[in-house]
Amino acid sequence: MHATSTLTEADRLMTVCNSCRYCEGICAVFPAMEMRRAFSDGDLNYLANLCHSCGACYYDCQFSPPHEFNVNVPQVLAQVRCESYEAYAWPQFLSGAFQRNGLVISIVSALSVAIFIIGFVLSHDASVLLGDHTGPGAFYKLMPHNAMAVLFGGATLYALTATAMGVRNFWRDIGEPAGTLTEPASIWQAIKDASTLRYLDGGGVGCMNEDEKPTDHRRLYHHFAFYGFVLCFASTSVATVYHYLGREAPFPWYDLPVALGTLGGIGLIVGPIGLLRGKARRDPVLQDKTKYGMDVAFLAMLFLTSLTGMMLLGLRATPAMGLLLALHIGIVFALFITMPYGKFIHGFYRFVSLVRYAKERREAAEHA
Ligand code: SF4
Ligand code: SF4
């Protein structure tokens, strides 16, 4: 007996697949499935979070619709995955944010931008917003650096705590000991698998999106988005170090924080546009349509983070700087505080699932 009808359907599919095993070479899900004879809710949530939704096992399957077995692994695992985000969310009363997620994230973002605009005006006067602020320390004429550090430090701490608690709930539910997350060999293997998106390659031919013709587009755009985010994070980190060494933003275009931020910003524009385009064209049979808004909201937030950052870079010496700063840090603040309650969370559950899979695969090889 499973907790939801989606998990019951996933159990039925995994039982069919475990008898068939045709797809065992495509990705990590099928070998992990073969290590089990029965599937608990935790097992199914683990397999769902291992799935990268490459679509190959739908087009390769002789039992997919219109066959009466109605086997659609990518769609059902996508549904299980989305339900798992809600089930493991911390604190649990905020799990409702996964319902109508696009609307929730839009409201939080709009409020966040408005609060920064109002905050700038109230702490000075309305003219500060459209005033000319240039040279080192220009940003801090609108909001002191220490206030920014406390606000964003607090938001980051909250997001990381809520994410860690969600991952802890997941880890307990799948019955894995905490020690697995400290095994260097498993972590290193998971880093390699995640950083190359090894299981988004349809078993070597590419990901299937709009039809059964494989391409590497989704993997490529995912890389743009992921590494773009990493570079932007590195840019902010270097800028923080600079600040405490006595150098104040904004920095010249050739300086490290700007160079890293510009490269990252390009990735965060190209990646989300490519992924949004791919999503619009994706075969509906592969998707959990009820969570379309969540995926779009996440990609839109990454895109807007970059777009507002690039506009701020380009127009920082003009009177538009104040409004653009409010827009940019408002979007970034909303991105961070909604991180545990949106699509951002998929990266964390998928990574720890890869850690567990690396351990299981190593143990299976040792006992073979
Ligand atoms: S998805 Fe279809 S072909 Fe692949 S293992 Fe399952 S039943 Fe077999
Ligand atoms: S959709 Fe791709 S990653 Fe997911 S189970 Fe099927 S083959 Fe594996």
Side-chain angles (χ1 to χ4, degrees):
M1 188 70 181
H2 292 289
T4 66
S5 57
T6 319
L7 287 165
T8 304
E9 174 64 358
D11 189 338
R12 182 186 76 84
L13 296 194
M14 289 297 99
T15 305
V16 174
C17 292
N18 225 353
S19 308
C20 166
R21 300 193 171 188
Y22 178 77
C23 297
E24 64 184 358
I26 300 181
C27 69
V29 172
F30 295 96
M33 170 198 79
E34 289 173 16
M35 294 175 199
R36 294 163 168 81
R37 292 288 168 271
F39 304 98
S40 66
D41 287 359
D43 291 331
L44 295 165
N45 285 329
Y46 160 57
L47 295 175
N49 280 287
L50 259 189
C51 171
H52 288 47
S53 206
C54 76
C57 64
Y58 176 78
Y59 295 109
D60 287 357
C61 181
Q62 58 271 41
F63 303 121
S64 58
H67 193 281
E68 60 184 323
F69 284 5
N70 191 29
V71 173
N72 186 341
V73 174
Q75 187 180 64
V76 173
L77 291 191
Q79 290 163 347
V80 171
R81 204 161 47 241
C82 289
E83 288 182 6
S84 77
Y85 304 154
E86 209 170 322
Y88 299 130
W90 182 93
Q92 191 46 218
F93 72 87
L94 288 179
S95 65
F98 284 101
Q99 303 291 335
R100 311 199 68 191
N101 190 260
L103 181 66
V104 170
I105 289 187
S106 306
I107 291 172
V108 172
S109 306
L111 280 176
S112 177
V113 170
I115 287 169
F116 276 102
I117 291 176
I118 294 167
F120 287 179
V121 170
L122 289 184
S123 57
H124 303 86
D125 59 70
S127 65
V128 78
L129 212 52
L130 295 173
D132 250 331
H133 310 287
T134 51
F139 296 153
Y140 310 127
K141 289 181 185 141
L142 290 119
M143 183 173 185
H145 181 271
N146 285 347
M148 273 195 206
V150 167
L151 205 58
F152 280 86
T156 307
L157 192 64
Y158 173 76
L160 291 178
T161 304
T163 300
M165 294 301 282
V167 169
R168 187 196 67 154
N169 293 341
F170 173 58
W171 211 240
R172 282 184 176 169
D173 197 35
I174 67 175
E176 191 64 24
T180 308
L181 284 174
T182 58
E183 286 174 9
S186 305
I187 291 172
W188 179 235
Q189 185 62 50
I191 288 173
K192 285 192 287 182
D193 293 344
S195 61
T196 57
L197 286 176
R198 176 175 175 181
Y199 299 115
L200 195 58
D201 74 347
V205 293
C207 174
M208 287 157 211
N209 194 45
E210 48 260 54
D211 52 37
E212 71 275 17
K213 287 194 218 77
T215 73
D216 257 335
H217 294 170
R218 270 181 79 218
R219 188 148 69 143
L220 176 71
Y221 290 122
H222 196 292
H223 280 324
F224 268 112
F226 175 74
Y227 290 106
F229 182 82
V230 170
L231 286 171
C232 288
F233 191 77
S235 161
T236 308
S237 306
V238 174
T240 305
V241 172
Y242 274 18
H243 181 86
Y244 289 110
L245 291 176
R247 289 192 55 202
E248 290 197 316
F251 305 106
W253 64 268
Y254 51 80
D255 218 330
L256 192 56
V258 182
L260 289 171
T262 305
L263 283 176
I266 292 169
L268 274 186
I269 285 182
V270 174
I273 288 178
L275 290 170
L276 279 167
R277 197 162 158 261
K279 181 155 282 299
R281 295 176 170 192
R282 192 161 171 79
D283 190 340
V285 298
L286 299 176
Q287 304 192 49
D288 175 6
K289 275 290 185 187
T290 62
K291 292 294 181 284
Y292 196 79
M294 177 172 79
D295 296 353
V296 171
F298 174 57
L299 293 170
M301 288 297 282
L302 292 180
F303 174 77
L304 287 174
T305 297
S306 177
L307 182 70
T308 54
M310 298 291 245
M311 287 173 71
L312 182 59
L313 176 65
L315 299 173
R316 60 188 177 173
T318 72
M321 188 272 269
L323 265 179
L324 286 171
L325 182 67
L327 203 56
H328 181 58
I329 62 179
I331 298 279
V332 174
F333 188 76
L335 179 71
F336 272 82
I337 56 169
T338 59
M339 184 174 102
Y341 313 108
K343 186 65 186 277
F344 212 134
I345 201 75
H346 82 285
F348 295 93
Y349 290 135
R350 185 165 288 155
F351 180 75
V352 295
S353 297
L354 286 169
V355 173
R356 186 194 208 196
Y357 177 64
K359 176 197 157 194
E360 288 185 340
R361 202 171 50 169
R362 209 177 49 253
E363 287 178 350
E366 282 166 7
H367 293 117

